[in-house]
Amino acid sequence: MKERCAMLHKVMIAGGGTGGHIFPAIAIAKALKQINPELELLFVGAEGRMEMEKVPAAGFQIVGLPIQGVPRRKTPIALFRFLLHWYRSNRKAEKVLRAFAPDVVVGVGGYASVPAMQAAQKYKIPTFIQEQNSYAGKANRMLARKVQRIAVAYPNMERYFPAEKIVFTGNPVREELLRALPPRDEACAAIGIPDETRNILVVGGSLGARKLTEAILDHAQEIALHPELTILLQTGAGDFEAMRARVAEAGVKNIVPTAFITRMECAYAAADLIVSRAGAIAISELCIVAKPVILVPSPYVAEDHQTKNARVLEERGAALLIREADASTRLWREIENLLTDDRRKEAMHLALRELARPKASAEIASQIEALGDK
């Protein structure tokens, strides 16, 4: 192993824009450092996006590109700015690539990955893609023809990628979920909810999800009639004050709004049932946690990939899928039904465990290492 590690000196990781791209990238970087602590890592992302904060906070260096996505309104001025930013990004990506001279470049999706990956392919540097979703993103589909290897988290991805390049690894998840979850009483105390009630976690991603929050608060008076339940409701920072005011005005004691949950391992440990969006990384975490889950996919993401992710779990009996348009009328009713259906909860638990890939980060890092050796 030491001899192999010595051959891989530098890795560049490109991409970002959302937590679904950034957090897997950081997990991969940490797994690579576990293989070889002397390995040099450099991230490339988009200026002004969340990776410019999250990556340094995780202890890694990042370079930002002045890149922008395709404008929705394709006016002449918008298109000119778009093309100018892409030109400047391509130039900067090549400059960074030549200066850093990586052995492998890893693309994790998002338009910020494209300039660095294309520059690597131009200079014959091995490239590697990690695709998180069951419906491949545009950037990864565009880059796939020239990459050497593609790590995927869902079956049947040969629909989008050359079959001979695909390696089924699953998605990386945060380190704390790979350890045993904390005891329930400690977890409840850490996040400020009762231990003696049945607890429902409602989480809509790093920014919250207003539709999920409203679907719960629309039934606040009914929920108040069930003091044996507690709902922990992640609202997102932008909606927190308004939602907290609604809960206070309704006089409901068993709905606990919070802007953001920093210790997700405690929230998962405390939960008896989870309501979540269907982002790829969220689903990967839910499979490892293996608690009964209701998925409400966001319809506002590219090519509706969250619905496609959720359907994979629903078809295997691992989750219940509710469309956002139906959440206000169905979500509370389905929460009540599922809480009392022990047989279905156990079936979900077993199906989720079968889908879990807890060693995904290590498997991906090993594949990158092997590619660098070649």
Side-chain angles (χ1 to χ4, degrees):
M1 178 64 74
K2 290 182 179 180
E3 182 180 351
R4 292 182 66 201
C5 290
M7 297 183 70
L8 187 63
H9 302 289
K10 297 181 179 183
V11 173
M12 179 182 285
I13 301 178
T18 68
H21 294 134
I22 299 162
F23 297 128
I26 292 172
I28 292 168
K30 290 180 177 180
L32 285 165
K33 291 290 279 185
Q34 286 184 340
I35 293 176
N36 179 11
E38 302 303 317
L39 180 71
E40 292 184 52
L41 285 156
L42 178 65
F43 283 73
V44 175
E47 292 177 355
R49 301 304 297 267
M50 64 186 297
E51 57 263 31
M52 302 307 294
E53 174 188 349
K54 299 296 184 183
V55 170
F60 299 104
Q61 182 182 1
I62 187 168
V63 174
L65 304 178
I67 195 167
Q68 294 181 352
V70 179
R72 293 185 180 181
R73 296 184 62 188
K74 297 178 176 60
T75 63
I77 293 177
L79 287 171
F80 173 76
R81 288 176 178 167
F82 164 73
L83 293 172
L84 179 62
H85 281 95
W86 270 89
Y87 172 76
R88 290 175 174 171
S89 296
N90 285 327
R91 291 286 300 273
K92 185 172 183 179
E94 284 201 25
K95 183 178 178 180
V96 170
L97 187 86
R98 291 197 301 268
F100 186 63
D103 301 304
V104 179
V105 177
V106 179
V108 294
Y111 53 80
S113 69
V114 176
M117 292 285 285
Q118 288 184 332
Q121 291 169 349
K122 175 181 176 180
Y123 289 99
K124 309 299 182 185
I125 296 171
T127 50
F128 182 102
I129 282 175
Q130 198 264 323
E131 172 57 57
Q132 299 91 23
N133 290 291
S134 62
Y135 186 91
K138 288 182 180 179
N140 282 347
R141 295 203 307 267
M142 179 170 58
L143 294 165
R145 187 171 62 87
K146 293 184 178 181
V147 303
Q148 278 68 48
R149 204 161 296 176
I150 304 166
V152 302
Y154 289 90
N156 305 317
M157 294 303 287
E158 60 273 8
R159 293 174 294 174
Y160 312 108
F161 303 130
E164 68 276 7
K165 298 181 180 182
I166 292 175
V167 182
F168 184 82
T169 60
N171 277 322
V173 299
R174 41 191 133 192
E175 290 176 288
E176 55 267 30
L177 295 182
L178 300 179
R179 301 186 289 268
L181 292 177
R184 178 188 169 94
D185 57 343
E186 294 178 14
C188 290
I191 57 178
I193 62 174
D195 177 23
E196 64 274 10
T197 59
R198 286 185 293 172
N199 298 323
I200 299 106
L201 170 64
V202 182
V203 58
S206 58
L207 299 179
R210 183 174 298 175
K211 293 291 186 180
L212 288 188
T213 303
E214 291 177 345
I216 293 296
L217 295 185
D218 285 347
H219 297 271
Q221 297 305 324
E222 296 170 66
I223 294 168
L225 299 176
H226 293 274
E228 76 282 4
L229 304 180
T230 298
I231 297 181
L232 180 62
L233 188 61
Q234 181 178 283
T235 66
D239 288 334
F240 175 64
E241 292 300 335
M243 297 306 171
R244 182 170 65 172
R246 280 186 62 181
V247 171
E249 183 179 351
V252 182
K253 304 297 185 183
N254 57 340
I255 297 178
V256 181
T258 182
F260 183 71
I261 301 169
T262 55
R263 296 192 63 187
M264 280 303 298
E265 74 279 12
C266 290
Y268 286 142
D272 296 288
L273 186 152
I274 300 168
V275 179
S276 175
R277 289 301 202 187
I281 304 308
I283 285 180
S284 296
E285 292 186 352
L286 293 169
C287 288
I288 289 174
V289 172
K291 299 282 183 80
V293 61
I294 298 174
L295 296 174
V296 186
S298 170
Y300 312 109
V301 296
E303 298 167 292
D304 199 23
H305 67 254
Q306 285 201 9
T307 298
K308 297 177 176 69
N309 292 345
R311 280 178 181 155
V312 174
L313 268 68
E314 183 183 49
E315 289 167 359
R316 299 192 178 198
L320 172 63
L321 167 61
I322 298 177
R323 295 188 310 128
E324 183 182 273
D326 300 328
S328 182
T329 56
R330 281 192 64 196
L331 181 56
W332 171 241
R333 185 173 73 250
E334 295 293 356
I335 288 172
E336 287 186 298
N337 292 339
L338 188 53
L339 281 172
T340 58
D341 192 340
D342 292 339
R343 181 176 296 180
R344 189 171 189 185
K345 286 188 293 184
E346 179 62 17
M348 281 187 178
H349 168 72
L350 295 174
L352 286 163
R353 286 186 61 182
E354 287 183 5
L355 292 168
R357 302 285 292 191
K359 297 182 179 179
S361 298
E363 290 181 25
I364 292 169
S366 178
Q367 292 288 334
I368 295 168
E369 180 201 8
L371 183 59
D373 288 351
K374 291 183 179 180

